[in-house]
Amino acid sequence: METKPSICIYFQVHQPDRLRQYRFFDIGNDQHYYDDFANRTILRRVADRCYLPMNRLLLDVIAACGKKFKVAFSISGSVIEQFEAYAPEVLDSFKELAGTGCVEFIAETYSHTLASLFSMSEFEKQVKLHSALIAKHFGKKPKCFRNTELIYSDEIGAAVSRMGYTCMLTEGARHILGWKSPNYVYANAVNPKLKLLLRNFTLSDDIAFRFSDRSWEKWPVDTGKYVSWLQDSIKDGEVINLFMDYETFGEHQSASTGIFEFMRALPEAVLSQTDFEFCTPSQVIKKHQPVAPLNVPFPISWADEERDTTAWLGNELQNEASSKLYALTDKVIAAEDPNIAKDFLKLQESDHFYYMCTKFFSDGAVHNYFNPYDTPYEAFINYMNVLSDFILRVDRRLKQE
């Protein structure tokens, strides 16, 4: 019997702990680094515009499709802590989704960090922390993994495999795939036990970025048109992976664009007009065999045209800030202080380094989204002030021992 093609939909859910304006004169005098007002305000706004209405919509779709609709999420520890503090009803609605049996929750680094590029021991520690948090809230330890911003390399994949994960999500980057299609399951080049699901960036970005772009020649997008694109794409492949930020719905693409109506209608259109089955990542790797190993010697991500790590580590500001931070890893462990450990996690959030990106300073619409700083240099100075205080605290703590 011929295996039906699959669609795997995955959403990333994350909000950072934005830093308050931290001045040079605060160093050594003030240990509170975060802009609680901004964090609460933005979290509440995104909850009302995206998380709550979209979770309700997905519950309705699952009810209407008789469990034929499946979806996957990764939810960072950072945003779960913010849900607990500012919007517990959002966490409840994710638990309601978990209760349907149609949703898979995926492991990641606890606070959406770049640890896999700096310290494998720190990376593994954060993944364990996150996995325990997901099990606590949603009742199951994750089996699949996605790294921050889909960052992946052969080495990172091998480490993820050693941690016991059987599946990892990453970008179908053109410079890695060459002539190959992202619409198949691949395997890690070091350990073939780890299966790889690659994002179909064209079809994902048609929703995430181009949906409301009136200058795009294919605008407007309706379900009939999109279903025909899915069918054209699967002529070369077995699974289409649609991976995107959850904030696409209602935040990046406002409700007035019709994005909610589109998403409500899409599953029924797919199920009634095509052979596609909706699958979670775990179901995809059970159903489809890898066609080849994928060689990724240097890290890739889903960011920007380059699909590399230069959005976070592409200039001297970012490299200085990140190397100074990760140089503290052993000292933070030795300090054995829960408050220091917590701040260390928060200061590793990749967003802090993203704000320092100079690549798109002139036209970085997506980079500037939620960006609290006017310039990358302001972001760097503010971060380094906080980091200077943090280093003082760590050193003081070690002297006490």
Side-chain angles (χ1 to χ4, degrees):
M1 196 175 88
E2 197 180 340
T3 306
K4 290 184 172 181
S6 305
I7 291 179
C8 179
I9 297 179
Y10 149 77
F11 298 120
Q12 169 183 295
V13 186
H14 169 65
Q15 290 296 328
D17 293 280
R18 294 164 193 84
L19 301 174
R20 71 177 182 84
Q21 194 166 16
Y22 194 89
R23 293 181 166 80
F24 177 78
F25 299 105
D26 293 327
I27 299 169
N29 299 312
D30 193 332
Q31 297 180 0
H32 187 71
Y33 306 142
Y34 311 105
D35 189 337
D36 299 328
F37 178 77
N39 290 326
R40 182 175 68 245
T41 306
I42 292 171
L43 196 277
R44 285 292 342 167
R45 187 185 83 202
V46 183
D48 293 338
R49 287 186 185 176
C50 168
Y51 303 143
L52 291 169
M54 196 59 191
N55 283 2
R56 171 50 49 201
L57 185 153
L58 292 180
L59 282 164
D60 292 347
V61 167
I62 289 166
C65 292
K67 302 214 168 189
K68 286 182 181 170
F69 180 70
K70 305 281 199 312
V71 68
F73 286 98
S74 70
I75 309 180
S76 72
S78 308
V79 80
I80 287 176
E81 287 182 8
Q82 290 190 37
F83 290 155
E84 289 175 314
Y86 307 133
E89 70 275 26
V90 174
L91 198 50
D92 291 340
S93 69
F94 276 114
K95 288 176 182 173
E96 207 179 332
L97 276 169
T100 64
C102 296
V103 177
E104 179 172 9
F105 292 91
I106 297 174
E108 63 162 296
T109 56
Y110 187 90
S111 49
H112 202 75
T113 75
L114 305 173
S116 61
L117 302 172
F118 289 93
S119 164
M120 277 302 168
S121 59
E122 180 65 20
F123 176 58
E124 288 183 23
K125 190 162 79 181
Q126 291 178 20
V127 174
K128 281 181 186 153
L129 261 181
H130 183 263
S131 179
L133 185 74
I134 294 301
K136 176 183 135 186
H137 285 296
F138 305 114
K140 268 188 189 167
K141 277 191 105 169
K143 293 182 189 147
C144 292
F145 184 80
R146 52 80 59 185
N147 201 5
T148 304
E149 307 294 327
L150 299 192
I151 291 170
Y152 175 82
S153 69
D154 296 337
E155 187 189 350
I156 293 167
V160 167
S161 180
R162 285 195 298 275
M163 286 187 252
Y165 295 97
T166 51
C167 167
M168 186 164 172
L169 282 53
T170 188
E171 175 66 29
R174 206 179 266 133
H175 67 279
I176 292 296
L177 281 170
W179 56 268
K180 297 193 284 287
S181 166
N183 300 341
Y184 290 97
V185 177
Y186 291 86
N188 175 258
V190 181
N191 188 343
K193 282 185 183 167
L194 184 77
K195 312 293 190 293
L196 302 175
L197 301 187
L198 309 186
R199 186 174 89 110
N200 183 311
F201 65 81
T202 305
L203 287 166
S204 299
D205 290 349
D206 286 344
I207 298 173
F209 293 111
R210 291 183 282 273
F211 186 82
S212 60
D213 180 4
R214 288 168 180 256
S215 66
W216 182 37
E217 71 277 7
K218 294 179 182 174
W219 187 87
V221 184
D222 57 37
T223 51
K225 202 183 273 188
Y226 195 78
V227 166
S228 73
W229 297 343
L230 290 168
Q231 288 179 299
D232 284 345
S233 186
I234 204 63
K235 287 171 187 167
D236 182 16
E238 298 172 340
V239 54
I240 293 179
N241 298 305
L242 302 175
F243 302 165
M244 62 197 85
D245 282 329
Y246 203 33
E247 295 80 13
T248 295
F249 301 92
E251 195 60 53
H252 301 326
Q253 305 287 345
S254 69
S256 63
T257 64
I259 191 90
F260 287 104
E261 291 79 1
F262 170 80
M263 200 61 210
R264 188 179 289 279
L266 185 65
E268 180 52 43
V270 167
L271 291 168
S272 62
Q273 296 168 35
T274 75
D275 286 338
F276 277 109
E277 294 177 323
F278 288 99
C279 295
T280 63
S282 289
Q283 290 171 326
V284 171
I285 62 161
K286 274 188 189 153
K287 186 173 154 186
H288 304 287
Q289 289 305 306
V291 292
L294 192 71
N295 289 297
V296 187
F298 304 106
I300 57 171
S301 78
W302 72 356
D304 308 330
E305 282 298 306
E306 296 90 346
R307 307 286 197 254
D308 59 15
T309 57
T310 54
W312 308 277
L313 301 171
N315 65 36
E316 287 178 25
L317 308 178
Q318 294 166 315
N319 290 323
E320 184 182 345
S322 57
S323 56
K324 259 202 163 152
L325 175 72
Y326 281 98
L328 296 170
T329 306
D330 292 340
K331 282 184 168 184
V332 168
I333 294 165
E336 293 184 336
D337 181 314
N339 290 326
I340 283 175
K342 196 171 182 182
D343 282 336
F344 188 52
L345 271 178
K346 290 183 176 182
L347 292 177
Q348 286 183 63
E349 290 168 353
S350 64
D351 311 72
H352 303 307
F353 307 103
Y354 202 63
Y355 301 146
M356 300 174 202
C357 183
T358 46
K359 273 201 300 185
F360 298 101
F361 186 30
S362 54
D363 61 349
V366 177
H367 279 260
N368 290 336
Y369 204 79
F370 292 143
N371 189 341
Y373 303 99
D374 291 332
T375 73
Y377 309 102
E378 273 180 41
F380 172 73
I381 290 163
N382 202 58
Y383 185 84
M384 294 309 279
N385 285 344
V386 169
L387 191 56
S388 298
D389 184 82
F390 183 71
I391 291 168
L392 278 179
R393 282 172 58 203
V394 173
D395 288 342
R396 266 189 215 139
R397 173 73 185 155
L398 290 172
K399 275 179 191 156
Q400 287 168 10
E401 300 217 329

